[in-house]
Amino acid sequence: MNQYNIVMEMTNATVVAEYEPLKKKSDSYQSEAALENEFIKMLSEQGYEYLKINDSKALISNLRAQLEILNDYKFSDNEWDRFYKNSIANNNDGIVQKTKKIQEDHIQVLKKDDGTSRNIYLIDKKNIHNNILQVINQYVEKGGNYENRYDVSVLVNGLPLIHIELKRRGVALKEAFNQINRYQRDSFWAGSGLYEYIQIFVISNGTNTKYYSNTTRESHIKENTQTQTKSKKTSNSFEFTSYWADASNKTIPDLVDFTKTFFSKHTILNILTKYCVFTAEELLLVMRPYQIAATERILNKIQISTNYKKMGTIESGGYIWHTTGSGKTLTSFKTAQLASKLDYIDKVLFVVDRKDLDYQTMREYDRFEKGAANGNRNTKILQKQIEDDNAKIIVTTIQKLSEFVKRNPKHPAFQKHLVLIFDECHRSQFGGMHISIAKSFKNYHLFGFTGTPIFAKNATNKSNPNFCTTEQAFGDKLHTYTIVDAINDGNVLPFRIDYVNTIKKKDEIKDKEVARIDEAGALADDKRVKKIVEYIIEHFDQKTKRSSYYDLKGQRMSGFNSMFAVASIDMAKKYYLEFKKQLEEKQKDLTIATIFSFAANEEDRVDGIIDDEGFETELLDKSSREFLDFAISEYNKKFKTNFSSEGNGFQDYYKDLSDKVKKREVDLLIVVNMFLTGFDATTLNTLWVDKNLKQHGLIQAFSRTNRILNSVKSYGNIVCFRDLQEETNDAIALFGDKNASGIVLLRSFEDYYYGYDDDKKHIMGYEEKISQLIQKYPPDEQIIGESAKRDFIISFGSILRLRNILSSFDKFKGMEILSEGDFQNYLGKYEDLNEEFKSKSEDSESIKDDLVFEMELVRQLEVNIDYILMLVTKYHKSNCKDQEIRSSIDKAIRASLSLRSKKDLIDGFINKINADTDVMTDWAKFVKEQKESDLKDLIKEENLKESETRNFIDHSFRDGQVKTIGTDIEKILPPMGRFNGGNRNERKQAIIEKLLKFFDKYFGLGV
């Protein structure tokens, strides 16, 4: 397609085009020390200076020297003292403030001795090779809770910006992640606090190497201790660590190869200075290799086509095929941001689908950088922004842009040098609007992002044969990252599909047309609708894992939520009313909502593209509009809102509903086309389908369920009430590859339960694993010896992971093998060992090295206080003589992470019950009395301010967490000298620990 020769392309690419792994592997270094030495040697060979720095004094002295070299300025001692204390190691700055300094405020102002000011660069972002890279190892921090020795740190201009934690070969990578958590808890903040400047963490056991941002780790710590004011968007656990890869998406896991690529000076400095995004939510996002590769290929295309004067032609653009859920918005934002900074580019226009504008993309862009993009509610505002030289990035809809073109046929903006980026370019951009926009602008580069491109095989725009495929519309494919790549990398989840047969075909019907009509009637039959609703209600808790618990933004959640895709507005009405009816009859409490608007084709198109539903509710027929009003009024009653189906009232309903689905406040959302494309909710794990889907539409709809949240959500659940097996296989082959179904779809129940053979190797199933567990570790016998304990932890952890998958199969009920009591017994042992190894690891780093506890999966299996009280009632009825029930109570408490902290309270109550006890009433009374007594003791012991403490505790129980940062905690503390240094901090920490213990003891008791 290119009409010009490229002499040299992407000489300075951050992500290597194709990497050939070295023959020399890290597995030749068996010990941690040998691996560390080889790693440092490789960095030295790549131009890093190795320093022997083992303490804070030497680290600060080196920092001064490096900043003097970078800034070509010699500090006086007084100047350095002032600059260091105010600008670098300010006592009020934590991780977030220090991250902001590196990402946004890297030029600090020095007040010189003569009263003048001078800019001091912490990092040079314009000329990245001016920055000085050094490497240190075995740095010792003695000022924390425990003395810690850090493996390897990379200093950039003297500041530790990258930390590498190494484990010996064979040790679980997750343990390196946990090790860094322990450093954060115990010592990163100590001494000079310079280790809080770390932007990127690298973890490796030699064979596997991954990286992640500082706020992934910081938020993970906060979530685990429940001390933050607001948990960030779930990306805080090991699941969100990333592999490095080449531009063809081949991962580079071995430390030797990783060091050659990720730690090459050009790459690591580019990542630190260009490819990190510090969001408005104060999260640091480090871009993944495929995102960086796509961004650079677009920038490269802009530069080359500008040099060759190819603007305004198809050769000046191209498209990016990145699968749904892989972070296209972040890639497009960074592309827009960097393109807008090119001297010769006047503006960047990011063009989205109409529903999306002013909501999802603008909110994401605003999140990446407040005010970076300009949204517009109408064409008049868009015109002003196009005419404003300061509005460098504009987000608009294709409809508004098309209207602008129509109203202003000779506008001077058409001559400006623009970059146009189209989001989800498989949708409406293939019509007349796209052509008119491309014809009007003369000096542009046109790029498209899509998760599901249109190829010749699935193109249907026969009215314009020259304009059928994504390539014909946008130009060359610049980068690819398919659903197979994303699942292999762990960036999205695979799908698990159930096909539930709801129609039995009559054998005697031969005529295909008659059969089709007969089937259409059967699909809409009231009896079928009733049966499907019965099935969904009956299996809802199982599919959405409502007995599983996890934390979401500081709130304790049980399970996930779901969406139901139906064939038409008439079917949406039928299903909505049937759900309302059956839920009332069954006295089951589920929050159901629906949304729909006018779409030209409700049923499936030949190409499988799901037609946009706009906000034009006035185009709906009278009956549909009235029903929509009824559904919105029901929603208004439930949530005390005031939306309608008219104009902005409907758009606001769409936004509010979207928000409530994301917060898991809506259990089941019935849709026709809306929300099936471009909508992201990490809490959504199940899609019920009674609609013909294929190709683009199928992958887009299924992908609503496969966003990563935590280890409890291990796949997207699809329940089809139509036979879409062939369509599913075809779509996966089209957008993955012909062998992709083995990666994209989970295995069968039988494989997980009975085991299977894979590449001549037998993979044990649940049945074999349970049998082995019972044989080696009978439920009522103690586990003796460290090697047996380690073996039990690994065996039971793998059983927990299998149960997590099997629990959503209908067949699993009744096939669990272990009784509830035995399972709780094993769970209790597992948690006891977690506590035991955790306490040992404070003294010895290596004790837990090869152990990974699946505590997130344990949390989801917890019993609650109601279950315990039910057992206590049974025990009471036996006149407190049935020791089997008493034993069951102990087992259940031991098996629950949240109830362990309440054991003394429960035991105290059981010891007090007698023949006259009313369990439920007296329990509530007992808890209130104990809570009051414990609170009085705490206030007295620690000399806390009484009314402020009571207020603080009330707010903690209301919010579901103890806020240990901010002014609220300071208000309750007793008078302490602010300049008493460590003693004040130690005292404050001791009080916080007591408050957390009190909170854990009484939270969740419903009293």
Side-chain angles (χ1 to χ4, degrees):
M1 184 182 278
N2 293 335
Q3 301 300 307
Y4 46 87
N5 299 315
I6 296 173
V7 178
M8 190 177 289
E9 185 178 6
M10 292 179 76
T11 49
N12 291 322
T14 303
V15 180
V16 64
E18 199 164 341
Y19 183 75
E20 193 59 47
L22 296 176
K23 288 190 174 74
K24 181 184 181 184
K25 290 288 178 193
S26 63
D27 55 16
S28 55
Y29 308 102
Q30 294 295 334
S31 76
E32 209 170 290
L35 191 64
E36 188 175 300
N37 290 337
E38 179 60 20
F39 175 57
I40 291 167
K41 185 177 167 225
M42 286 177 69
L43 289 179
S44 301
E45 287 167 358
Q46 287 173 206
Y48 290 64
E49 180 193 0
Y50 174 65
L51 297 177
K52 286 197 172 183
I53 289 180
N54 301 112
D55 60 34
S56 189
K57 191 180 174 186
L59 189 66
I60 295 165
S61 172
N62 178 66
L63 171 63
R64 176 177 176 173
Q66 301 314 313
L67 288 179
E68 287 179 345
I69 295 168
L70 179 71
N71 290 279
D72 193 21
Y73 179 76
K74 196 91 175 158
F75 295 102
S76 73
D77 288 347
N78 284 337
E79 284 173 347
W80 173 250
D81 194 52
R82 270 197 310 276
F83 185 72
Y84 177 76
K85 283 178 182 169
N86 297 331
S87 298
I88 293 177
N90 191 312
N91 285 335
N92 295 321
D93 289 351
I95 287 170
V96 167
Q97 292 75 21
K98 287 170 181 172
T99 299
K100 192 173 183 183
K101 269 184 191 152
I102 297 300
Q103 296 303 325
E104 295 175 357
D105 304 327
H106 60 286
I107 306 170
Q108 293 285 305
V109 178
L110 165 71
K111 195 85 172 162
K112 290 167 68 177
D113 288 341
D114 62 8
T116 61
S117 297
R118 177 190 169 98
N119 285 342
I120 297 291
Y121 283 73
L122 300 182
I123 188 167
D124 189 338
K125 295 197 174 188
K126 200 169 182 185
N127 304 299
I128 61 169
H129 289 287
N130 285 342
N131 297 295
I132 306 145
L133 293 174
Q134 298 168 309
V135 57
I136 65 173
N137 69 321
Q138 299 301 313
Y139 179 88
V140 178
E141 182 52 72
K142 295 178 180 177
N145 298 337
Y146 300 90
E147 180 174 308
N148 277 315
R149 188 182 290 272
Y150 308 147
D151 284 358
V152 182
S153 306
V154 170
L155 311 181
V156 181
N157 308 319
L159 283 171
L161 296 191
I162 304 146
H163 178 69
I164 303 96
E165 189 61 31
L166 300 172
K167 291 291 169 197
R168 69 176 184 275
R169 189 164 168 253
V171 171
L173 198 56
K174 196 171 182 179
E175 181 45 35
F177 182 85
N178 294 339
Q179 180 77 40
I180 288 170
N181 291 347
R182 292 196 281 278
Y183 289 158
Q184 153 61 14
R185 183 186 65 216
D186 296 338
S187 62
F188 273 157
W189 45 266
S192 61
L194 292 180
Y195 268 77
E196 289 190 312
Y197 273 101
I198 289 167
Q199 303 294 284
I200 297 170
F201 288 93
V202 173
I203 50 177
S204 180
N205 59 7
T207 312
N208 283 306
T209 310
K210 297 183 91 174
Y211 71 98
Y212 58 98
S213 81
N214 64 4
T215 46
T216 293
R217 185 255 310 152
E218 164 71 349
S219 298
H220 177 74
I221 293 288
K222 286 180 173 178
E223 282 193 352
N224 280 357
T225 55
Q226 289 193 310
T227 60
Q228 79 216 73
T229 51
K230 188 176 183 184
S231 290
K232 304 302 180 189
K233 191 191 171 181
T234 74
S235 47
N236 315 318
S237 56
F238 182 71
E239 279 75 20
F240 285 81
T241 56
S242 299
Y243 283 108
W244 190 246
D246 64 17
S248 63
N249 308 315
K250 194 165 74 184
T251 56
I252 302 172
D254 192 273
L255 183 62
V256 170
D257 300 317
F258 185 92
T259 307
K260 288 280 182 197
T261 51
F262 185 86
F263 277 111
S264 76
K265 280 177 127 178
H266 182 77
T267 295
I268 195 62
L269 288 170
N270 257 345
I271 292 169
L272 284 167
T273 57
K274 274 190 197 168
Y275 297 115
C276 287
V277 176
F278 188 58
T279 73
E281 294 174 330
E282 298 182 329
L283 269 178
L284 182 67
L285 306 178
V286 183
M287 290 174 75
R288 291 170 172 149
Y290 60 88
Q291 294 174 312
I292 296 171
T295 301
E296 291 193 338
R297 291 203 176 163
I298 289 177
L299 295 171
N300 190 55
K301 182 66 108 166
I302 293 169
Q303 189 180 349
I304 289 171
S305 57
T306 300
N307 290 345
Y308 278 86
K309 304 273 187 294
K310 292 285 180 181
M311 295 84 75
T313 71
I314 200 154
E315 295 152 72
S316 68
Y319 74 95
I320 302 294
W321 173 12
H322 281 188
T323 192
T324 308
S326 60
K328 289 194 294 293
T329 311
L330 175 60
T331 313
S332 67
F333 166 77
K334 184 47 82 171
T335 304
Q337 191 188 49
L338 293 173
S340 70
K341 289 176 182 172
L342 295 171
D343 295 340
Y344 48 87
I345 296 297
D346 295 313
K347 269 184 206 311
V348 179
L349 269 68
F350 189 70
V351 188
V352 297
D353 167 51
R354 75 175 87 194
K355 297 193 296 296
D356 191 277
L357 188 67
D358 300 323
Y359 194 53
Q360 195 155 303
T361 300
M362 264 310 295
R363 202 166 70 165
E364 288 289 298
Y365 264 39
D366 247 14
R367 185 178 147 241
F368 297 146
E369 188 184 336
K370 199 79 181 157
N374 301 269
N376 32 71
R377 284 193 168 269
N378 56 51
T379 309
K380 209 173 178 182
I381 295 170
L382 171 63
Q383 184 167 339
K384 274 186 186 171
Q385 289 168 349
I386 286 174
E387 291 164 358
D388 178 3
D389 290 340
N390 294 318
K392 295 289 278 181
I393 301 173
I394 299 169
V395 181
T396 190
T397 60
I398 191 165
Q399 290 80 12
K400 286 197 188 83
L401 190 58
S402 176
E403 190 60 31
F404 167 78
V405 167
K406 213 185 290 177
R407 288 183 194 176
N408 302 278
K410 292 182 180 174
H411 198 281
F414 296 145
Q415 305 305 321
K416 286 193 171 182
H417 196 169
L418 304 176
V419 175
L420 296 164
I421 300 172
F422 282 76
D423 186 35
E424 289 302 350
C425 64
H426 65 260
R427 296 215 282 266
S428 43
Q429 288 83 328
F430 288 81
M433 285 191 244
H434 178 116
I435 296 166
S436 68
I437 290 165
K439 270 187 179 172
S440 300
F441 289 98
K442 307 295 180 208
N443 204 15
Y444 65 83
H445 306 267
L446 187 66
F447 299 100
F449 279 82
T450 179
T452 47
I454 291 172
F455 305 113
K457 185 180 175 182
N458 58 312
T460 56
N461 192 350
K462 305 302 179 199
S463 58
N464 183 357
N466 298 318
F467 203 48
C468 294
T469 66
T470 306
E471 189 171 325
Q472 286 169 316
F474 289 92
D476 292 343
K477 179 175 67 184
L478 302 179
H479 194 259
T480 303
Y481 187 75
T482 68
I483 190 167
V484 176
D485 295 321
I487 289 169
N488 278 334
D489 289 352
N491 289 329
V492 299
L493 300 169
F495 303 115
R496 194 182 80 66
I497 305 180
D498 283 323
Y499 296 102
V500 181
N501 188 16
T502 56
I503 294 179
K504 196 170 181 183
K505 292 187 180 175
K506 295 176 184 173
D507 296 335
E508 64 271 14
I509 295 178
K510 297 281 190 277
D511 187 291
K512 278 186 183 174
E513 191 61 27
V514 174
R516 197 176 63 78
I517 294 164
D518 187 65
E519 188 174 303
L523 288 169
D525 188 87
D526 290 345
K527 286 178 192 167
R528 178 176 176 273
V529 169
K530 185 184 175 192
K531 286 279 183 199
I532 287 173
V533 171
E534 274 174 10
Y535 180 90
I536 292 174
I537 292 173
E538 187 187 333
H539 293 85
F540 188 85
D541 287 0
Q542 173 206 359
K543 301 295 182 191
T544 59
K545 292 185 172 285
R546 283 304 167 98
S547 60
S548 305
Y549 294 90
Y550 61 94
D551 287 325
L552 179 74
K553 297 193 175 182
Q555 298 300 311
R556 190 161 163 74
M557 291 285 173
S558 61
F560 309 105
N561 53 355
S562 67
M563 200 184 286
F564 188 11
V566 301
S568 64
I569 292 171
D570 282 341
M571 290 306 290
K573 289 188 222 172
K574 275 190 174 189
Y575 276 117
Y576 183 87
L577 294 172
E578 186 61 34
F579 268 110
K580 289 283 180 187
K581 180 181 163 215
Q582 287 196 32
L583 288 169
E584 197 176 325
E585 287 169 1
K586 296 175 197 292
Q587 294 187 318
K588 193 167 169 69
D589 184 25
L590 284 180
T591 301
I592 309 287
T594 187
I595 189 166
F596 53 82
S597 183
F598 178 78
N601 300 290
E602 287 173 15
E603 264 295 4
D604 59 317
R605 288 173 28 161
V606 178
D607 55 10
I609 293 176
I610 294 172
D611 265 344
D612 285 342
E613 287 180 82
F615 290 122
E616 298 86 359
T617 49
E618 66 277 5
L619 297 176
L620 290 168
D621 62 67
K622 188 167 180 279
S623 160
S624 299
R625 180 71 180 268
E626 283 172 358
F627 182 76
L628 183 60
D629 280 326
F630 165 71
I632 295 174
S633 71
E634 294 272 295
Y635 182 90
N636 287 336
K637 275 183 225 163
K638 170 77 182 172
F639 293 108
K640 297 181 173 52
T641 48
N642 190 28
F643 303 118
S644 70
S645 68
E646 292 178 17
N648 285 341
F650 184 65
Q651 289 193 37
D652 291 339
Y653 171 60
Y654 174 93
K655 291 175 187 179
D656 193 73
L657 177 59
S658 168
D659 201 45
K660 286 195 168 44
V661 172
K662 289 178 184 192
K663 290 176 180 170
R664 220 230 63 186
E665 291 175 42
V666 171
D667 294 310
L668 187 141
L669 175 64
I670 300 169
V671 297
V672 182
N673 287 349
M674 265 185 178
F675 283 78
L676 289 180
T677 57
F679 173 70
D680 287 348
T682 53
T683 61
L684 200 81
N685 87 318
T686 300
L687 179 73
W688 316 91
V689 183
D690 186 24
K691 178 184 183 73
N692 291 336
L693 293 169
K694 60 185 170 190
Q695 295 177 0
H696 305 75
L698 184 141
I699 294 290
Q700 289 283 341
F702 283 15
S703 295
R704 297 315 103 214
T705 67
N706 74 342
R707 300 301 187 270
I708 288 174
L709 179 65
N710 51 31
S711 58
V712 180
K713 185 182 176 187
S714 51
Y715 48 83
N717 230 346
I718 313 295
V719 182
C720 292
F721 299 108
R722 300 188 180 198
D723 184 1
L724 300 180
Q725 192 157 2
E726 193 178 326
E727 288 83 354
T728 300
N729 292 339
D730 288 350
I732 290 167
L734 183 65
F735 300 116
D737 59 54
K738 64 181 186 298
N739 302 313
S741 61
I743 294 163
V744 178
L745 305 180
L746 259 69
R747 289 183 167 272
S748 67
F749 172 83
E750 284 71 23
D751 283 353
Y752 290 117
Y753 195 84
Y754 299 111
Y756 57 92
D757 294 320
D758 189 27
D759 289 335
K760 297 177 185 173
K761 182 184 168 190
H762 181 66
I763 308 296
M764 283 173 69
Y766 178 80
E767 188 180 54
E768 293 168 276
K769 289 193 176 196
I770 292 287
S771 170
Q772 200 177 78
L773 182 78
I774 295 167
Q775 193 179 347
K776 286 166 86 173
Y777 310 107
D780 296 314
E781 286 185 19
Q782 200 178 344
I783 301 169
I784 310 289
E786 189 165 307
S787 65
K789 287 174 181 177
R790 285 167 176 270
D791 181 56
F792 171 78
I793 288 160
I794 293 161
S795 301
F796 194 69
S798 71
I799 287 169
L800 283 176
R801 288 191 295 275
L802 264 181
R803 268 183 79 113
N804 187 44
I805 293 171
L806 286 167
S807 62
S808 70
F809 284 92
D810 299 350
K811 294 176 188 175
F812 188 55
K813 199 172 180 183
M815 294 178 72
E816 297 92 342
I817 304 172
L818 291 175
S819 68
E820 193 174 352
D822 284 347
F823 183 65
Q824 284 178 357
N825 209 332
Y826 280 125
L827 211 49
K829 286 178 184 177
Y830 190 71
E831 288 177 37
D832 287 341
L833 290 173
N834 178 48
E835 293 299 320
E836 181 185 322
F837 279 90
K838 196 159 58 176
S839 62
K840 283 183 186 175
S841 70
E842 305 293 2
D843 309 314
S844 168
E845 250 178 46
S846 64
I847 198 88
K848 254 180 90 179
D849 272 358
D850 54 354
L851 297 178
V852 174
F853 286 87
E854 299 290 347
M855 298 322 286
E856 204 162 24
L857 295 178
V858 170
R859 253 180 227 112
Q860 64 148 324
L861 298 162
E862 286 184 359
V863 294
N864 59 22
I865 194 67
D866 296 333
Y867 176 76
I868 298 293
L869 290 176
M870 180 267 288
L871 290 178
V872 172
T873 305
K874 276 188 182 177
Y875 181 62
H876 176 247
K877 282 178 184 171
S878 77
N879 292 322
C880 305
K881 287 178 182 171
D882 192 332
Q883 290 310 305
E884 203 171 308
I885 298 174
R886 187 71 180 83
S887 171
S888 295
I889 293 169
D890 285 340
K891 281 180 188 175
I893 293 169
R894 280 181 64 230
S896 166
L897 283 173
S898 63
L899 291 182
R900 285 182 160 220
S901 58
K902 303 165 184 27
K903 186 178 186 326
D904 290 345
L905 196 66
I906 296 164
D907 286 346
F909 177 66
I910 291 171
N911 292 336
K912 282 186 73 174
I913 63 177
N914 55 44
D916 299 324
T917 302
D918 178 322
V919 172
M920 302 310 282
T921 308
D922 290 348
W923 164 255
K925 191 178 166 192
F926 175 78
V927 170
K928 276 180 185 167
E929 287 170 0
Q930 284 295 120
K931 186 177 171 188
E932 178 58 25
S933 170
D934 284 357
L935 185 55
K936 276 182 179 172
D937 289 347
L938 178 58
I939 291 168
K940 191 177 175 184
E941 281 168 24
E942 297 297 338
N943 191 25
L944 303 178
K945 296 171 187 168
E946 181 155 4
S947 73
E948 286 88 344
T949 303
R950 288 183 178 278
N951 202 25
F952 179 81
I953 290 291
D954 287 345
H955 284 153
S956 296
F957 282 109
R958 182 197 67 194
D959 298 340
Q961 61 191 345
V962 177
K963 296 178 182 176
T964 61
I965 51 175
T967 55
D968 289 350
I969 188 78
E970 297 291 338
K971 287 176 188 171
I972 75 170
L973 297 175
M976 289 186 272
R978 282 202 167 268
F979 304 104
N980 206 7
N983 288 342
R984 184 181 190 277
N985 284 337
E986 281 169 29
R987 180 84 196 280
K988 180 181 172 183
Q989 197 54 42
I991 291 169
I992 285 171
E993 280 171 21
K994 285 189 176 182
L995 287 167
L996 286 168
K997 200 172 174 184
F998 177 84
F999 177 81
D1000 286 343
K1001 186 174 179 180
Y1002 291 103
F1003 182 66
L1005 295 177
V1007 175

